[in-house]
Structures are given as C-alpha cells and as structure tokens.
C-alpha cells in the first residue's frame, strides 16, 4: 500500500484542547504549549519535521478524532 495515499489520523483527548497544544501530522506526537490553534508548519522534536499543526487546525483538516473523556 502507498503510505501517502491515506493520511494518518490520530486520537486526542478533550483535555489536550485546554492549552495551546499541537500535533505532528507525521508521527502523532503531541506538542504541549506554544502552538496557536490555527498553526501550521511548527517543528516536531520527535521526528524532526516541520509538520506540527494546532489541534483545532488538525480537527478542521479531519486528521484527528477526539476521544470523549470518561468523566466529562
């Protein structure tokens, strides 16, 4: 299968939206703090690509799903 044909989606928790967090669209690493909600192209320390986006941006792109917190 072609890895580029289907973009990966990642699951995050509702709590991840409470601060300025982002997610790497390559490896799924959460970057905690300092990421604007509509950010694109921020650096990922885990996989060394510039593919971190704000969580709200990732949600709008359809690249993340939000796990419902058990005690919400």
């Amino acid at each position: 299968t072609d890895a580029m044909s289907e973009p990966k989606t990642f699951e995050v928790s509702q709590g991840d939206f409470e601060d300025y967090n982002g997610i790497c669209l390559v490896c799924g690493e959460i970057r905690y703090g300092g990421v604007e909600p509509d950010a694109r192209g921020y650096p990922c320390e885990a996989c060394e690509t510039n593919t971190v986006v704000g969580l709200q941006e990732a949600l709008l792109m359809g690249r993340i799903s939000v796990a419902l917190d058990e005690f919400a």
Side-chain angles (χ1 to χ4, degrees):
T1 60
D2 184 2
M4 297 302 292
S5 62
E6 187 66 33
K8 286 192 276 190
T9 58
F10 304 98
E11 188 171 88
V12 299
S13 72
Q14 288 176 320
D16 289 328
F17 282 89
E18 292 176 5
D19 297 307
Y20 285 101
N21 299 327
I23 188 166
C24 176
L25 297 180
V26 172
C27 72
E29 183 80 12
I30 298 284
R31 177 170 155 176
Y32 293 99
V35 182
E36 295 293 325
D38 62 349
R40 287 183 179 216
Y42 280 38
C44 176
E45 294 177 6
C47 71
E48 299 181 347
T49 61
N50 292 323
T51 52
V52 171
V53 300
L55 287 181
Q56 285 83 348
E57 186 72 12
L59 188 62
L60 290 171
M61 295 168 73
R63 297 294 302 274
I64 59 173
S65 60
V66 181
L68 298 177
D69 293 339
E70 292 182 29
F71 304 106

